[in-house]
Amino acid sequence: MRVPRSLAQKLSADLTAAEFTVSALTELWGEDAEQALHRNHRVPALRRLRTQEPTPASTLATLFVLGMPVDRSALHEALPTLGVDGAEELDLVDASGDSIRPNRDLRPYSFIDATGAGSWWIVSDLGELALGRELGEDHVLGVGGASLSLAGLMLQKPVQSVLDLGTGCGIQAMHASRHAQRVVATDISERALEMARLNAELNGIDNIEFRHGSLFEPVEGELFDQIVSNPPFVITPRRADVPAYEYRDGGLVGDAIVREVITQSAAHLTPDGTVQMLANWEYSGATSGLDRVASWVEGTADGVLDSWVIEREVQSPEEYAETWIRDGGTRPGSPEYDTLSDAWLDDFDRRGVRAVGFGYVILRLRADSSGSTWNRYERLQTPAGQNETGLGVHVAQCMSAADRARSMTDAELATCSLTVSGDVTEERHFWPGAEDPTTMMLRQGGGFGRTRPVDTALSALVGACDGELSLGAIVGALAQLLQVDEEALASQLVPQVRELVDDGILLLP
């Protein structure tokens, strides 16, 4: 069903008039109730609302965020332009009686990106809290933790075209619309595409084209400056009694959907085009998950893909099964939960999977195929959510700096006057009564929040990087101070400096 644009515009007008915003809702029920909602517990919010006079914002929050029925008269007051009939036509509500029930989740969403602060309203399917049961297999997910991670990871430099592969409710396409001239958003689910269209129209975004189909089929033969994807990467047993949720299950065995996106993406990138995606990968036999991803990347497109793959978490088969069975709304202790757990663990046992990794994949198609590729695979198991808002900006800066540093010889790098990034601090730990530190660490406040051990020489070098002295001059002064051979010290320190440049800890002029 295609939604009339006029209805989306009326809904937008009503939501604006009702001041249906993130800050307004938090003010309605308070920070503690807000945190409880993140844990799928709505009672604290409901109790706070009962103590207040109803407002349009509280009516909309009760209906669409908390998933509770409201009176017809109250909803008419909250949506005077759209009306109850219009809300029903948009399939937002079931208006068959005087008590109006929600059919969809509708909530405000706010963010900050490289362009500045922004806010939207996002329509998705009702979650487990409102449904009181397991999710349907055609469930359209709203803005969750993975959505926020990818939105933060997205490179935000201006480009002509972006492909959002597996758009879901459309949130990544909407973010991409802020820095791209044109966005193509695809999904295998028609329901998801309809909700994504509604979200774009509701928020006045008109540079997104929506197409139905699997993976790259809807864009065969087309090239894009950027591809973003939160693909349906969840590893699911291929059994009839295991739900295949469209929003997370790509229908292939194991991590094959991730392999397909990685290996096919090069054929759809312009020179210097990039990919940012979330992914799972399996540990099988003696092969690590990162080695598995490396084999996909480096065996693709004649080896012309630069890559930066970051593993944020590793789960055992038991932990992985628990995570995704619970995600679908099946509660531990039920017969259904036990059946699904058996199915997941049987699948992992049969295929020899000993662990599953989760992380970020960043790719770039080299414009110059004659040069060597830049391939970086690392484990950064920092707390989930840390600094994710600005990761895309940080990643772009690190990649640019790495390109520049790799184009320089050690002698050329020695002529540069580097500076320390403003978010970097140094920690020193001492045994009680000791004059010298036992441990020294550089700690990065932004980016990936890295902590890097350093020795006395490297600590002194970083401390002297004030943008005035050249790297060569600093190494020479340190050699005299430490009474060591300058050439030997340079051989020790310059490779470490290159690593710090790659990490965004030291900045090139």
Side-chain angles (χ1 to χ4, degrees):
M1 178 189 73
R2 292 298 176 93
V3 174
R5 178 168 294 186
S6 61
L7 291 180
Q9 292 170 340
K10 290 178 180 179
L11 176 58
S12 177
D14 285 338
L15 296 176
T16 300
E19 298 184 359
F20 192 55
T21 65
V22 171
S23 59
L25 296 195
T26 303
E27 187 175 345
L28 272 176
W29 45 55
E31 288 285 352
D32 289 343
E34 180 73 18
Q35 292 304 313
L37 283 173
H38 291 309
R39 301 189 299 271
N40 255 7
H41 182 32
R42 65 187 170 193
V43 171
L46 286 168
R47 288 172 61 86
R48 286 293 299 273
L49 292 183
R50 290 191 197 114
T51 67
Q52 304 171 27
E53 287 295 320
T55 64
S58 67
T59 296
L60 296 170
T62 300
L63 182 67
F64 292 122
V65 179
L66 304 182
M68 301 295 290
V70 299
D71 292 339
R72 178 179 290 269
S73 59
L75 184 58
H76 181 75
E77 183 179 344
L79 299 176
T81 308
L82 178 66
V84 175
D85 290 343
E88 189 172 33
E89 189 174 349
L90 286 175
D91 200 26
L92 297 177
V93 299
D94 176 356
S96 56
D98 289 334
S99 183
I100 310 298
R101 295 185 173 277
N103 283 341
R104 298 285 178 268
D105 185 293
L106 166 61
R107 64 183 65 206
Y109 165 69
S110 60
F111 59 91
I112 300 174
D113 61 15
T115 308
S119 60
W120 294 317
W121 301 288
I122 302 297
V123 176
S124 62
D125 273 331
L126 293 172
E128 178 194 349
L129 178 65
L131 292 173
R133 56 173 171 77
E134 295 87 350
L135 305 180
E137 292 188 40
D138 61 351
H139 180 82
V140 178
L141 196 65
V143 180
S147 302
L148 296 175
S149 294
L150 182 57
L153 183 68
M154 192 184 302
L155 305 187
Q156 298 166 27
K157 64 180 182 180
V159 293
Q160 289 293 316
S161 59
V162 173
L163 169 63
D164 176 16
L165 197 70
T167 193
C169 71
I171 188 63
Q172 304 305 332
M174 293 166 67
H175 275 292
S177 73
R178 288 169 61 87
H179 65 265
Q181 294 293 314
R182 179 177 69 93
V183 180
V184 175
T186 69
D187 206 286
I188 199 169
S189 166
E190 286 280 16
R191 289 188 72 253
L193 290 172
E194 288 305 318
M195 270 186 244
R197 287 189 187 96
L198 173 58
N199 285 326
E201 291 176 359
L202 178 59
N203 294 286
I205 300 171
D206 58 8
N207 62 338
I208 304 174
E209 178 187 350
F210 297 95
R211 301 185 194 174
H212 178 254
S214 177
L215 292 178
F216 292 98
E217 290 174 3
V219 294
E220 185 176 356
E222 297 181 53
L223 302 180
F224 297 88
D225 300 319
Q226 184 178 23
I227 298 172
V228 296
S229 184
N230 179 13
F233 58 70
V234 176
I235 298 166
T236 307
R238 303 263 68 88
R239 281 177 34 171
D241 59 347
V242 176
Y245 296 106
E246 288 182 334
Y247 73 90
R248 71 184 205 191
D249 178 14
L252 301 181
V253 174
D255 52 16
I257 191 77
V258 174
R259 181 194 64 213
E260 291 298 303
V261 175
I262 289 174
T263 57
Q264 293 181 35
S265 61
H268 295 276
L269 288 172
T270 59
D272 277 332
T274 64
V275 176
Q276 296 91 61
M277 64 180 288
L278 307 183
N280 273 165
W281 39 78
E282 296 180 338
Y283 283 66
S284 134
T287 304
S288 77
L290 287 178
D291 287 343
R292 187 173 176 85
V293 179
S295 70
W296 300 335
V297 172
E298 295 172 24
T300 298
D302 299 321
V304 294
L305 279 179
D306 293 331
S307 62
W308 190 357
V309 181
I310 300 159
E311 185 172 73
R312 298 299 302 274
E313 183 179 4
V314 178
Q315 289 186 317
S316 68
E318 292 79 9
E319 292 172 318
Y320 191 84
E322 290 168 14
T323 296
W324 293 109
I325 296 169
R326 188 67 189 87
D327 176 78
T330 303
R331 299 178 183 276
S334 66
E336 294 81 8
Y337 185 96
D338 291 347
T339 298
L340 291 174
S341 182
D342 260 338
W344 245 280
L345 297 180
D346 283 347
D347 176 62
F348 285 139
D349 283 346
R350 180 177 54 81
R351 297 187 300 104
V353 177
R354 54 186 172 87
V356 179
F358 165 79
Y360 310 142
V361 177
I362 301 148
L363 307 173
R364 180 177 58 184
L365 183 65
R366 293 186 64 84
D368 178 11
S369 59
S370 62
S372 61
T373 56
W374 175 53
N375 301 116
R376 183 175 184 180
Y377 306 94
E378 58 181 335
R379 294 178 178 86
L380 288 173
Q381 296 181 35
T382 51
Q386 179 172 335
N387 303 312
E388 286 182 339
T389 299
L391 276 184
V393 173
H394 175 74
V395 166
Q397 291 171 342
C398 288
M399 291 176 69
S400 175
D403 287 342
R404 288 185 59 202
R406 251 173 282 279
S407 70
M408 299 179 189
T409 64
D410 285 354
E412 290 169 334
L413 183 61
T415 66
C416 294
S417 300
L418 292 87
T419 55
V420 184
S421 177
D423 64 342
V424 174
T425 56
E426 184 182 81
E427 294 182 5
R428 297 190 175 202
H429 298 266
F430 297 79
W431 290 115
E435 293 185 3
D436 298 321
T438 57
T439 304
M440 294 184 291
M441 295 181 291
L442 298 179
R443 187 175 296 278
Q444 190 176 43
F448 290 107
R450 296 174 186 274
T451 299
R452 179 187 174 105
V454 293
D455 59 15
T456 300
L458 186 58
S459 172
L461 183 149
V462 172
C465 287
D466 58 1
E468 298 293 332
L469 293 173
S470 70
L471 175 61
I474 295 172
V475 171
L478 284 175
Q480 289 186 5
L481 181 65
L482 298 173
Q483 298 181 342
V484 297
D485 179 73
E486 181 176 343
E487 186 175 341
L489 185 62
S491 298
Q492 171 193 330
L493 291 178
V494 171
Q496 296 181 78
V497 167
R498 289 184 179 276
E499 292 175 2
L500 294 178
V501 169
D502 285 354
D503 293 342
I505 292 174
L506 287 179
L507 307 179
L508 290 169

